Amino acid sequence: MTSQRPRTILICALGGEGGGVLSEWITECAAHAGFPAQATSVPGVAQRTGATSYYIELLPEPAPEGLQPVFALVPSAGRVDVVASSELLETARILERGFVSPDRTMLISSSSRVYTTVEKMQMGDGRFDDQRIHDAAKAMARDYRTADLEKLANDNGTVISATMFGALAGAGAFPWPRNVCEDVIRAGKRGAEASLRGFAAAFDAVNGVAPKVAETSAPQPELPEPLPADFLALPASVREIVSHGMARTKDFQDAAYADLYVERVRLLIKAAGDAGDPRVAHALEEGARRLALWMAYEDIPRVAQLKTRASRFERIRADVEMKPGQILKVTEYLKPGAEELADMLPENLGRRLMRRVQAGKSLPFLGRGIHVATTSIAGNLMLRTLAAMRKIRRRSLRYVEEQKQIEIWLDAKKTALARSPEFAGALAELPRLLKGYGETHLRGKANYRAVFDGIVAPAIKSGSEAMEAQRLRKAISAALADPESSALSQLLAASRSEPPRLLAAQ
Amino acid sequence: MEVSFSNEIRSLKLGDGEVFHGEGILAVTKALLQSGVTYVGGYQGAPVSHLLDVMVQAKDLMGELGVHVEPCTNEASAAAMLGASIMYPVRGAVTWKSIVGTNVASDALSNLASPGVMGGALIVVGEDYGEGASVIQERTHAFAMKSAMWLVDPRPNLPTIVRMVEKSFELSEVSNSPVIMELRIRACHVRGSFKTKDNIAPRISARELQQEPAAFIYEKLAHPPVTYRHEKLKYDVRMPAARKFIVEQGLNEIFEGRHGDVGLIVQGGLYNTLIRALQEIGLADAFGRTEIPILALNVVYPLVPDEIVKFAAGKKAVVIVEEGQPEFIEHEIGSILRRADINTTLHGKDIFQMAGEYTAEVMLAGLAKVLPKYIGSIDVTPAQTYALDIGGLREKATKLLATPLPPRPPNFCVGCPERPVFAAMKLAQQEIGKVHISTDIGCHALATYEPFSFGNSILGYGMSLASGAGVAGFSAKRPVAIMGDGGFWHNGLLSGVTSAMLNERDRVLVIMKNGYTSATGTQDVVSSPRSASKNVAEGASATGSERTIENTLQGLGVKWLRSVHTYRVSEMREALKEAITTKTGGLKVIVAEGECQLERQRRVKPMRAQAMSEGRRVVRTRYGVDEDTCTGDHSCIRLSGCPTLTVKPATDPLKTDPVAHVTNGCVGCGLCGENAHAATLCPSFFRADIIANPSVMDRAMAKLRGAITGAA
């Protein structure tokens, strides 16, 4: 028995990323080098963005006279020499299937993520933790190399198959020199130049050479607003949030509103006591964050203000990759409902409108989807007029109601900070439920109330914050678990049936 | 069609002594031409679609040879084509995805196999089994046995595959029986090479016409009383003839090995994996030289008793390596050995798993159990440690990753016209409550995954409406059936629509009119837009003006019929609500019209590029999300799932949840905006029209607007 064994290469890509091209490049290289090779694939529903895999076996030397190697068509766990993956989560999948072994496998993975629908559709943050994948890869592979192969591809005007090819060559995965790969790419003609650029960039990247396109690492930004002197002693994380909060509230309304924000934060700090305690610091940081976001709620004037900003159009230009000399037209999809209008009207007017709506009558122009071109003169002026309505915001229905709710939340938080930092920390995150617009917003408000009345209020009343902190956290994540709020209502119902915690505490 | 095969077509023209490089399934195509086929038909489906697709595109080559190529509307009509070989000395081949395609074809196959064939008849099936399979896990083997058609399962390398195609025609002719060749997914896609021969122009063909029809011979009809004689012929004449040929031509291969006490009998298609497993325990080398004798069955039905007996005699045991369930081959070998009174022990499914793909890992585990029993000198510790090692690897990985990985099922393409229909369906159900949804085969079945998770049943291709008939009988709310135009023409029209019409049932049917069988590579259907209307349509949907489906339904007497453009979500929602709640009885059909985005892009991209290069005015439309106003609730994603509508970390230092974000892959289909309106989501969505090579007017207006608004 000869001890020769084929070199095995597994390529994992997503549909339409050119994994097929890559595996052809590799087999052509083998042919040039005079090595027998075989490639096969499970394309899956390739065009439909599903996961696809390509498997290559090659003999790193010419076959002896009269003999033909018998190559496998299916990769074996623990017996793959090289794994190349175009996407980080797919890399994790390959680890889970046992294809990466510490004594054999070189693992080359793009650090880029293409989020799955399940990750994207969550009401909060459903993304899988990248770092955990990198750590696992480091622990599992004989040699782990990673780089943002997708970015390198975009920067060089090519596709990820080219940068994967370069990464493989750069990491020394092939039993043939670099120029063989490059000749094969050149022979491909179409898009060869871009492919070669991408190949070279990735070749360097996996060898620790910084890509030519310098990473734009943002320098530590200055705090947007100077803090009052009595805040300077706070932990840095809190200081930063407060400063941003001041900027936000000022931008939302005016300097006086920013002062109100500061005043409110100050009350929290007073109630908190030792901010050196990380639990307290966290409670303050989150509190200051949510307070700012809440105070700068999204009503029609706010949306109009944000949509008519010059900086916004600059961002859009960059996002859509406009070339000089091109012209941009932007059209907004708006659907103002009766509630939104009532929100921005003076309180009494607003209430009258809402009564009208509840009586089944509305206004003809409401509840219809409208397209407003913010780059057109009429559309832009209309939105600016709406934005200007913020001058009378303080008298508006929504302002009155939001401030009332904010005060209630602040009172609870002050009490909590004094008694249980954990509970205060959780309570700080409660306003996170107040998300979105229209239906979404109503649902968020309902969930907020349910949690506040069901857990927060009783806990404060009975002084059982410390033991309720855990449950409050659970309730918040339950509220973010599903749009039908079924998880939340289950949790609240379940806890009601338990023996009253108040007694249990005594 | 999705792919262009110009290179592949070139390799189909190769002649004597040249070398073909390419995929297994295209090697089969070349082998058909080398065998002088007169006609080829089939129904597309992975992994065999390319066989037909490439021939459809190779019109001139087929013309030269006089080969008739017919993409059929379903597998039954493809199988029926083989009827040509019953009465005429012509070779024909058809192809489809198995098991499902064979199910559909089985009526014609029974009627073909009974009288038997004069000219070689070959059925190339993609055995869609194991990793990457998209259908029910069953074996084609059962059909071969029940109809006495021979089943070929070649070793997965191009020279063997090609030889077996050529031999299959001869086998078919000497035994007057149709032959099935099963090719697993990876075998269809395996890239290799083989020495080619000249293509053979068939003696009777589209160029060499048969002047007189065949004589009337009642024995050639699948009709009593001759069907009784047919059954006898199958086993008294045809099968013996087949067995004789198999032996004479050495279609099955024996690889001798020094350990004579045990023999391995393997389906040809699994041979390479078996060698890999043996390599793990040092019983074979990289070139397939084995220490354990192997009988590789390139023909798995019928078996040749003498061959089996010869191989088994004198051995302590034979091990059958047979993938899938039940163990047909093992059973047959069992009775062969008993009848010959050979007392060699038989192993198979007692040591290997019954169900699922036979990977090297699976085979190794089985072999490690059985080999030491009979060959003391064999050390299987490597096999055991291997099992432990990879068990450890998986455990370690799972521990390190801590939480389960989110799945990544296939998804509707960017800008797919079917996605909006399900957004509308979701919204409609929010208002009128949940309804029973019978789904079907096709791209629209992707709605069974997140974010829609729709569908109470899948009963086969074109079966959705029929599968709701029973449910409708006891459901308070009308069930809804979803069907693609592919499924409609494949058999939904007959199995579903006509049945509902006959019984005047109160039902709801949604037909996805995207113009092609998109899931299999956008092959044409009878209602595909003609190229003329495509050029007129340019960027717009080319299926709007195509009315074949509507006319057919009206012809059948469907009264309640709405054609709705899929991207109009609100309209679609209203149509669905009405169809489900209206007092009007009878079948209610919504034709959801929107051209397959893949085809649309294939047409639009070159047009755009052309215009750009000529410096003409081009408007690119895409959508976007304002991260300032996005609150990170992601309800827009729960209504879409478009790959380009994703999330990114908020740049706002105050926001913790990721915000929605549209990537530049966006093709501007407009669903985001439509959803934002239909569901009153949020004001974050905007449409951006980017005008390249703007006209003088454009520039003037832009200047003016910019000056006043400061926006652009």
Side-chain angles (χ1 to χ4, degrees):
Chain A
M1 293 293 119
T2 61
S3 61
Q4 280 171 313
R5 62 169 180 75
R7 176 153 329 180
T8 59
I9 304 173
L10 177 60
I11 297 166
C12 310
L14 303 184
E17 286 185 331
V21 178
L22 175 54
S23 75
E24 269 182 56
W25 277 337
I26 295 174
T27 45
E28 279 169 36
C29 288
H32 282 281
F35 303 156
Q38 170 188 285
T40 184
S41 61
V42 175
V45 194
Q47 269 294 0
R48 319 296 180 258
T49 66
T52 68
S53 81
Y54 299 79
Y55 182 58
I56 300 161
E57 295 206 346
L58 60 94
L59 216 55
E61 62 197 85
E65 202 42 45
L67 286 177
Q68 270 308 317
V70 176
F71 289 126
L73 285 77
V74 189
S76 296
R79 293 294 183 269
V80 183
D81 297 303
V82 181
V83 172
S85 169
S86 67
E87 201 272 347
L88 194 59
L89 184 69
E90 294 313 303
T91 307
R93 233 183 281 286
I94 287 302
L95 293 172
E96 211 174 37
R97 292 177 57 189
F99 284 115
V100 178
S101 117
D103 38 348
R104 183 160 180 173
T105 314
M106 164 188 280
L107 172 59
I108 294 152
S109 171
S110 177
S111 58
S112 51
R113 276 302 326 270
V114 175
Y115 297 115
T116 61
T117 308
V118 181
E119 288 173 287
K120 295 191 292 184
M121 68 190 275
Q122 302 309 319
M123 295 163 74
D125 185 357
R127 294 171 301 166
F128 196 91
D129 176 6
D130 289 3
Q131 195 48 47
R132 231 187 296 149
I133 303 177
H134 286 301
D135 296 343
K138 268 191 219 83
M140 303 284 302
R142 174 176 61 78
D143 179 359
Y144 176 53
R145 315 278 186 98
T146 180
D148 190 338
L149 299 177
E150 190 189 20
K151 184 175 186 309
L152 287 178
N154 295 341
D155 293 348
N156 293 282
T158 182
V159 287
I160 198 160
S161 49
T163 49
M164 284 175 86
F165 196 27
L168 282 161
F174 301 135
W176 52 73
R178 171 177 187 164
N179 64 307
V180 175
C181 303
E182 291 171 323
D183 293 345
V184 165
I185 296 178
R186 255 181 228 103
K189 294 179 288 303
R190 220 172 116 270
E193 280 318 307
S195 301
L196 285 167
R197 280 199 305 277
F199 178 94
F203 191 101
D204 296 341
V206 293
N207 288 304
V209 185
K212 287 171 195 65
V213 203
E215 295 287 337
T216 50
S217 54
Q220 202 52 34
E222 293 296 304
L223 291 186
E225 288 287 322
L227 291 163
D230 57 327
F231 282 35
L232 296 176
L234 294 168
S237 59
V238 185
R239 288 207 308 272
E240 194 185 327
I241 294 298
V242 175
S243 167
H244 282 290
M246 291 166 67
R248 181 64 45 89
T249 42
K250 188 170 163 191
D251 175 63
F252 176 79
Q253 191 63 31
D254 51 29
Y257 198 55
D259 295 342
L260 173 62
Y261 171 73
V262 171
E263 213 25 64
R264 284 170 165 168
V265 176
R266 190 170 276 124
L267 291 174
L268 293 182
I269 297 170
K270 283 213 183 68
D274 173 21
D277 179 338
R279 298 168 310 165
V280 175
H282 169 77
L284 282 177
E285 181 185 339
E286 279 311 298
R289 176 197 306 284
R290 297 298 160 189
L291 176 61
L293 288 170
W294 194 348
M295 285 178 72
Y297 57 88
E298 290 88 3
D299 59 0
I300 290 180
R302 179 60 174 170
V303 170
Q305 176 191 21
L306 293 169
K307 283 203 175 268
T308 46
R309 263 208 184 130
S311 62
R312 175 199 176 214
F313 294 96
E314 285 319 309
R315 189 177 66 226
I316 294 178
R317 274 202 174 65
D319 278 355
V320 302
E321 293 171 359
M322 276 180 69
K323 313 224 170 359
Q326 297 187 334
I327 291 176
L328 174 69
K329 285 188 179 174
V330 177
T331 310
E332 318 295 340
Y333 280 68
L334 305 176
K335 193 176 182 183
E339 290 80 1
E340 281 87 0
L341 180 63
D343 280 348
M344 64 181 284
L345 292 175
E347 192 180 356
N348 50 356
L349 263 175
R351 295 204 189 282
R352 281 208 351 240
L353 172 57
M354 285 319 290
R355 274 197 294 279
R356 213 182 128 76
V357 172
Q358 274 131 25
K361 296 188 242 90
S362 184
L363 297 172
F365 57 88
L366 290 173
R368 293 238 196 89
I370 52 169
H371 303 113
V372 181
T374 28
T375 44
S376 80
I377 293 164
N380 192 278
L381 293 185
M382 182 186 115
L383 284 188
R384 280 167 179 231
T385 320
L386 285 168
M389 299 281 284
R390 74 175 185 281
K391 304 245 173 346
I392 60 161
R393 181 184 271 139
R394 279 197 174 81
R395 287 188 280 118
S396 71
L397 171 59
R398 178 150 180 199
Y399 183 90
V400 174
E401 289 187 337
E402 295 289 3
Q403 303 306 328
K404 201 192 305 157
Q405 289 303 319
I406 291 175
E407 288 300 338
I408 297 173
W409 173 70
L410 280 171
D411 285 337
K413 202 155 154 46
K414 272 181 286 178
T415 329
L417 273 164
R419 296 189 193 156
S420 157
E422 287 85 359
F423 189 83
L427 180 55
E429 289 195 16
L430 188 53
R432 198 174 148 212
L433 305 190
L434 299 168
K435 279 186 174 190
Y437 304 77
E439 289 297 315
T440 318
H441 186 66
L442 294 179
R443 188 186 63 228
K445 261 158 78 178
N447 290 347
Y448 176 92
R449 288 221 187 80
V451 177
F452 197 95
D453 301 347
I455 299 177
V456 179
I460 302 271
K461 192 152 169 288
S462 63
S464 58
E465 292 91 346
M467 63 193 344
E468 290 292 57
Q470 190 55 21
R471 199 157 134 265
L472 180 52
R473 287 204 177 289
K474 282 217 187 84
I476 292 172
S477 37
L480 291 171
D482 67 289
E484 288 74 28
S485 321
S486 43
L488 177 60
S489 34
Q490 270 172 29
L491 181 135
L492 292 173
S495 49
R496 240 177 266 118
S497 60
E498 284 168 23
R501 285 154 178 279
L502 176 53
L503 297 182
Q506 289 163 345
Chain B
M1 215 175 288
E2 210 167 292
V3 203
S4 157
F5 290 102
S6 42
N7 300 342
E8 289 74 4
I9 291 170
R10 233 172 283 118
S11 58
L12 289 184
K13 295 177 177 165
L14 296 173
D16 271 331
E18 297 185 87
V19 180
F20 170 105
H21 297 283
E23 276 197 330
I25 193 62
L26 292 164
V28 172
T29 315
K30 170 62 176 158
L32 295 179
L33 299 177
Q34 294 183 176
S35 310
V37 282
T38 296
Y39 63 97
V40 178
Y43 191 80
Q44 59 273 9
V48 292
S49 293
H50 288 183
L51 190 159
L52 208 58
D53 293 349
V54 70
M55 284 193 154
V56 169
Q57 286 186 21
K59 281 201 181 56
D60 47 352
L61 173 59
M62 298 302 137
E64 285 163 31
L65 296 169
V67 177
H68 172 72
V69 179
E70 185 142 325
C72 306
T73 53
N74 64 31
E75 295 83 356
S77 66
M81 272 183 86
L82 292 174
S85 297
I86 298 176
M87 290 295 290
Y88 300 93
V90 292
R91 290 182 168 184
V94 296
T95 187
W96 56 68
K97 176 197 200 84
S98 201
I99 194 65
V100 285
T102 316
N103 290 340
V104 174
S106 57
D107 190 13
L109 290 180
S110 297
N111 286 277
L112 172 76
S114 190
V117 296
M118 176 190 303
L122 177 63
I123 302 151
V124 180
V125 301
E127 191 75 348
D128 200 35
Y129 190 89
E131 184 187 359
S134 59
V135 302
I136 314 96
Q137 298 296 278
E138 292 181 3
R139 300 177 65 178
T140 307
H141 203 105
F143 285 89
M145 295 198 306
K146 82 169 178 60
S147 303
M149 298 180 286
W150 317 142
L151 183 60
V152 174
D153 187 350
R155 289 197 290 129
N157 63 70
L158 268 49
T160 309
I161 291 173
V162 169
R163 171 167 186 265
M164 288 310 293
V165 170
E166 294 167 342
K167 289 296 166 191
S168 295
F169 282 110
E170 298 174 29
L171 174 62
S172 174
E173 281 155 2
V174 299
S175 62
N176 305 113
S177 307
V179 174
I180 305 174
M181 173 179 279
E182 60 177 348
L183 293 170
R184 292 169 186 76
I185 302 170
R186 289 174 186 267
C188 289
H189 297 298
V190 71
R191 303 190 72 86
S193 50
F194 70 94
K195 266 205 173 42
T196 56
K197 303 192 197 119
D198 289 337
N199 296 331
I200 297 175
R203 210 165 40 72
I204 302 174
S205 73
R207 294 173 66 94
E208 303 294 329
L209 299 177
Q210 167 89 6
Q211 294 308 326
E212 289 301 317
F216 174 79
I217 307 174
Y218 193 83
E219 285 66 25
K220 296 293 185 182
L221 304 175
H223 203 249
V226 293
T227 42
Y228 301 103
R229 184 171 139 68
H230 291 162
E231 188 185 13
K232 288 199 172 57
L233 282 174
K234 281 179 177 176
Y235 298 93
D236 299 347
V237 179
R238 300 177 195 166
M239 191 178 279
R243 285 173 168 156
K244 184 159 166 291
F245 183 83
I246 292 165
V247 175
E248 286 170 356
Q249 300 289 322
L251 298 188
N252 296 327
E253 301 165 281
I254 291 179
F255 302 88
E256 291 300 348
R258 66 187 179 88
H259 292 301
D261 288 344
V262 180
L264 304 171
I265 302 179
V266 61
Q267 292 162 299
L270 298 187
Y271 169 82
N272 291 38
T273 317
L274 178 60
I275 291 296
R276 175 50 44 84
L278 291 171
Q279 283 170 8
E280 278 294 327
I281 37 179
L283 293 175
D285 70 4
F287 306 97
R289 287 175 298 199
T290 172
E291 300 197 351
I292 314 266
I294 298 174
L295 169 56
L297 298 172
N298 293 314
V299 183
V300 288
Y301 186 80
L303 299 177
V304 183
D306 305 354
E307 214 170 49
I308 301 293
V309 167
K310 254 199 226 86
F311 183 75
K315 291 189 167 57
K316 291 194 190 132
V318 286
V319 180
I320 317 302
V321 187
E322 176 183 13
E323 186 177 70
Q325 44 68 42
E327 61 273 58
F328 297 116
I329 299 174
E330 188 180 346
H331 287 157
E332 195 175 345
I333 290 176
S335 30
I336 289 170
L337 295 182
R338 288 306 312 126
R339 286 182 187 139
D341 194 23
I342 305 282
N343 290 323
T344 306
T345 316
L346 184 64
H347 290 291
K349 293 292 185 184
D350 57 334
I351 54 163
F352 297 114
Q353 65 191 28
M354 174 60 85
E357 188 170 8
Y358 275 18
T359 60
E361 187 186 337
V362 173
M363 290 188 190
L364 195 54
L367 293 173
K369 272 186 246 159
V370 73
L371 291 179
K373 279 201 210 149
Y374 303 97
I375 311 167
S377 61
I378 289 181
D379 170 21
V380 291
T381 40
Q384 287 143 352
T385 47
Y386 173 68
L388 291 175
D389 290 350
I390 59 179
L393 287 179
R394 289 171 180 149
E395 208 171 300
K396 186 176 173 195
T398 315
K399 203 171 275 114
L400 286 166
L401 294 166
T403 52
L405 301 174
R408 191 190 302 276
N411 189 352
F412 291 107
C413 302
V414 174
C416 174
E418 300 188 351
R419 180 179 286 110
V421 179
F422 294 101
M425 179 73 81
K426 199 164 187 173
L427 294 172
Q429 292 196 52
Q430 281 172 11
E431 295 181 35
I432 60 172
K434 294 238 181 296
V435 296
H436 176 102
I437 301 175
S438 31
T439 51
D440 212 288
I441 306 296
C443 294
H444 47 84
L446 298 176
T448 56
Y449 299 120
E450 286 86 358
F452 300 114
S453 306
F454 278 155
N456 301 89
S457 66
I458 294 185
L459 264 287
Y461 200 18
M463 294 293 190
S464 57
L465 185 56
S467 72
V471 181
F474 55 75
S475 299
K477 250 195 236 94
R478 273 174 207 148
V480 173
I482 309 283
M483 194 185 291
D485 42 12
F488 179 77
W489 295 119
H490 181 273
N491 91 22
L493 170 61
L494 298 181
S495 308
V497 177
T498 56
S499 184
M501 294 305 289
L502 170 68
N503 299 291
E504 296 170 348
R505 290 297 180 234
D506 185 3
R507 309 286 308 285
V508 177
L509 171 64
V510 178
I511 300 174
M512 300 287 187
K513 189 170 97 179
N514 65 27
Y516 318 83
T517 61
S518 299
T520 54
T522 65
Q523 290 82 357
D524 279 358
V525 290
V526 63
S527 58
S528 292
R530 302 287 152 242
S531 42
S533 55
K534 287 192 193 180
N535 297 334
V536 176
E538 287 191 345
S541 165
T543 48
S545 52
E546 217 300 329
R547 305 278 303 168
T548 311
I549 293 177
E550 288 86 341
N551 297 342
T552 306
L553 292 167
Q554 273 157 346
L556 278 172
V558 175
K559 297 277 177 295
W560 198 104
L561 180 63
R562 300 258 196 293
S563 292
V564 184
H565 187 51
T566 58
Y567 295 104
R568 304 207 186 94
V569 176
S570 312
E571 243 176 87
M572 185 63 72
R573 174 184 54 192
E574 294 316 308
L576 284 164
K577 276 160 55 188
E578 190 187 337
I580 295 167
T581 55
T582 177
K583 296 269 173 294
T584 324
L587 178 63
K588 288 158 279 290
V589 183
I590 296 173
V591 176
E593 176 276 319
E595 186 185 12
C596 173
Q597 191 66 244
L598 288 174
E599 278 298 305
R600 185 173 161 271
Q601 291 301 317
R602 273 169 52 80
R603 182 170 66 242
V604 173
K605 279 200 179 118
M607 287 183 183
R608 286 257 169 84
Q610 177 86 18
M612 284 294 264
S613 63
E614 292 168 6
R616 277 186 279 133
R617 182 180 189 272
V618 179
V619 181
R620 168 168 66 104
T621 298
R622 56 153 287 178
Y623 284 71
V625 175
D626 276 310
E627 66 167 294
D628 299 342
T629 52
C630 173
T631 58
D633 167 73
H634 312 142
S635 43
C636 51
I637 291 169
R638 291 192 290 278
L639 268 179
S640 162
C642 174
T644 61
L645 175 57
T646 179
V647 295
K648 67 170 190 186
T651 46
D652 178 346
L654 290 176
K655 285 182 183 167
T656 51
D657 289 330
V659 292
H661 168 68
V662 178
T663 70
N664 269 308
C666 175
V667 296
C669 77
L671 175 60
C672 306
E674 282 290 325
N675 276 345
H677 271 175
T680 324
L681 286 183
C682 83
S684 305
F685 282 96
F686 63 85
R687 189 178 88 223
D689 296 295
I690 299 101
I691 307 171
N693 310 320
S695 67
V696 182
M697 190 58 183
D698 289 325
R699 281 197 297 270
M701 281 307 294
K703 228 189 205 70
L704 177 63
R705 282 198 250 98
I708 298 176
T709 64

